[in-house]
Amino acid sequence: MNDATAWRLNSTDEMLHQAATALGSSRVVQILWRLPVPVPAQALQAEWRRLDSGLLSRRAARAHLPGARRRWVPAANTHPLHLDHRPLTDATAPQWIDTQVRVPLAPDSTELWRLAAAPYHEGCLVSLTVPHFRSDGLGLLNAIAARAPARRPRGPRDSDAAEALGQTTRAVARTAGWLLRLARDPRQCERISAALRRPPAAAGPPARPQFFSTAIFTVEAAEWQECARGRGGTANTLFLQIAANLVRARVPRADREGIRVGIPVSLRRQAGDERANALVVVPLGMPGGPVRHGDLSGARQATKALLRDVGAHSATLVPEPLWHLLPARHAAALKNPGAQQTDVVASNFGHAPDAVVDFAGHTADSVAMRTMNVPGLFPDKARLRASLCLFRTGHRMTVTVTGMPAHFGDSASLHRLVAEEFAAWGLTARPWWSTTAHEARKG
């Protein structure tokens, strides 16, 4: 989708832009490379320049005509490469990656993304942090893998006039059919009415933001696949059950209350899709109660049924072309609950391209990704309590788990819980860094 549509902000882009105001925090995507050898500063600077010519270096610009969506325009990143020269240890590396993700990258700033590196063991650790409104996880992988500069479409078809006309035409066409279906769906009518009637949040002192703890593990892909097949599931349903188990283990729930597992589903259908965010989060209902380490066939069937018609799901309660034309207060009300209103998000990014694993002239021995709320998640404004990312590089799976410290404790405590969960499945999981080092630093 390398046309004007990819260079206009969609509803997800806009919602993520407004998240700092609506939820009090911004969502940040971070990718981490563990490189086995030291990397010269010149090689890292070359990667910085390459990324600055690509899709990550875009800013949102207002349209000049009513009805036209805001557009992405190329922009130069003013946030320079950051190099730490003090070697990291297993005790200091977790704090270092948290420091990188906490650096402000405001929507209206020219500091668009942050690339940082530090010596670690015999090699180095590299971090790239990008605001989620600028790119989702798969978009970030595409931007890293791209070897050609990004080019914004130009011409009459890409003008604000063409966009306003096309957007209005799509809104009219899609709304007509939607209204006919809505008339036969009283439950959806009530959802929309309730959303529009919902009063603003009560004034009062805000809850303290919770910056999530993190644990990162690698598991042999063959072992993961065999574990899933042996229980009637797939690699993905095993991942979803692990996510649900962490919530069952640590997040108090009412009797018989189910768990909502958010599954981000990519809407990209071709390579080189240049949209910033092209996903929808669909909630999978899973049973509550005690942890489960047995049959996965039920989870597999439920997931398959949910994803069968994923195209019908939307980020908005009304047709998206219509949503873009609504006043801001109505648009804010008429959005579907997203990832923040699930108990746990389980993001499976699949197999990483070689062009991502090879960075700054070297092949990483492991690559991890995580999404974080900065300065933290406000528990009174969002239901989310944990988030997991699954990433395959070569013959290894890398799992990053982040969790609210009020439930999961600090990173050392979360590491122990995740290690116990993997062991219960018979999986041999290797942590990125030693939890003993965590505890020694804490003590």
Side-chain angles (χ1 to χ4, degrees):
M1 188 179 287
N2 300 335
D3 56 17
T5 303
W7 285 74
R8 296 283 176 174
L9 275 73
N10 60 38
S11 59
T12 305
D13 298 333
E14 293 287 7
M15 291 174 191
L16 288 165
H17 257 276
Q18 297 300 320
T21 301
L23 294 174
S25 65
S26 297
R27 197 78 169 153
V28 176
V29 185
Q30 182 180 39
I31 186 166
L32 299 162
W33 290 268
R34 243 179 21 188
L35 296 169
V37 296
V39 179
Q42 300 94 311
L44 291 167
Q45 191 66 56
E47 287 286 6
W48 187 98
R49 288 193 296 269
R50 183 179 67 82
L51 292 172
D52 195 38
S53 70
L55 294 172
L56 299 184
S57 287
R58 302 191 290 190
R59 63 176 180 84
R62 68 179 182 85
H64 298 296
L65 290 176
R69 292 173 295 170
R70 292 201 295 169
R71 66 188 186 279
W72 292 110
V73 296
N77 181 24
T78 61
H79 202 307
L81 171 68
H82 180 81
L83 297 176
D84 280 312
H85 299 291
R86 178 177 296 180
L88 300 174
T89 66
D90 283 353
T92 60
Q95 181 182 4
W96 185 84
I97 68 171
D98 285 349
T99 297
Q100 307 317 309
V101 85
R102 279 180 157 128
V103 173
L105 297 168
D108 56 352
S109 170
T110 57
E111 295 183 324
L112 307 178
W113 43 270
R114 176 178 172 86
L115 183 66
Y120 176 64
H121 290 194
E122 294 79 22
C124 73
L125 188 60
V126 179
S127 163
L128 174 62
T129 53
V130 180
H132 205 321
F133 66 80
R134 207 172 297 288
S135 180
D136 58 26
L138 288 178
L140 177 55
L141 298 182
N142 289 343
I144 294 168
R147 292 297 180 258
R151 294 284 182 262
R152 182 168 73 91
R154 296 181 181 277
R157 293 179 58 189
D158 307 314
S159 66
D160 283 349
E163 159 67 13
L165 177 61
Q167 189 71 4
T168 304
T169 301
R170 289 189 294 271
V172 171
R174 296 185 189 180
T175 301
W178 172 76
L179 286 172
L180 291 175
R181 294 190 299 274
L182 186 65
R184 300 190 296 269
D185 190 347
R187 292 181 61 184
Q188 183 67 1
C189 287
E190 178 53 33
R191 283 189 69 195
I192 293 172
S193 297
L196 292 172
R197 295 193 307 266
R198 189 177 299 121
R208 184 177 178 181
Q210 298 277 315
F211 187 82
F212 281 17
S213 303
T214 299
I216 309 177
F217 286 84
T218 59
V219 180
E220 291 297 315
E223 187 179 351
W224 184 287
Q225 296 278 9
E226 183 58 32
C227 176
R229 281 195 298 266
R231 291 167 173 82
T234 64
N236 193 51
T237 49
L238 172 58
F239 179 52
L240 298 176
Q241 193 70 279
I242 288 171
N245 274 345
L246 296 176
V247 174
R248 291 175 182 128
R250 289 295 180 89
V251 181
R253 318 192 62 72
D255 289 345
R256 298 186 180 180
E257 184 180 357
I259 297 170
R260 289 168 65 88
V261 179
I263 306 176
V265 180
S266 176
L267 302 179
R268 293 177 172 87
R269 296 293 178 263
Q270 64 184 40
D273 189 316
E274 294 183 340
R275 283 176 288 180
N277 288 277
L279 59 82
V280 60
V281 176
V282 293
L284 173 67
M286 298 186 73
V291 297
R292 300 175 175 220
H293 298 107
D295 182 58
L296 292 171
S297 59
R300 180 179 186 177
Q301 292 167 7
T303 305
K304 186 176 181 179
L306 177 69
L307 301 182
R308 186 177 297 124
D309 61 346
V310 70
H313 295 270
S314 172
T316 59
L317 292 172
V318 299
E320 188 170 327
L322 172 63
W323 185 88
H324 284 283
L325 301 178
L326 295 174
R329 64 187 182 89
H330 290 145
L334 293 171
K335 58 185 181 182
N336 264 321
Q340 304 284 313
Q341 300 308 323
T342 60
D343 296 295
V344 57
V345 173
S347 304
N348 186 348
F349 293 100
H351 209 135
D354 290 343
V356 171
V357 182
D358 295 335
F359 192 79
H362 299 280
T363 300
D365 58 24
S366 192
V367 182
M369 187 182 289
R370 64 176 182 166
T371 54
M372 298 286 284
N373 281 73
V374 180
L377 187 141
F378 288 83
D380 58 333
K381 294 184 178 181
R383 179 172 173 169
L384 187 68
R385 294 298 181 263
S387 179
L388 286 76
C389 294
L390 179 66
F391 203 59
R392 178 168 178 174
T393 55
H395 57 84
R396 291 196 187 102
M397 310 284 256
T398 303
V399 182
T400 306
V401 181
T402 59
M404 187 174 284
H407 298 295
F408 298 97
D410 60 12
S411 292
S413 175
L414 180 60
H415 263 82
R416 288 193 296 271
L417 175 66
V418 177
E420 291 167 2
E421 173 66 16
F422 284 136
W425 291 100
L427 295 171
T428 303
R430 297 174 177 81
W432 258 36
W433 27 69
S434 167
T435 56
T436 304
H438 284 213
E439 292 165 350
R441 182 177 179 83
K442 184 174 65 174

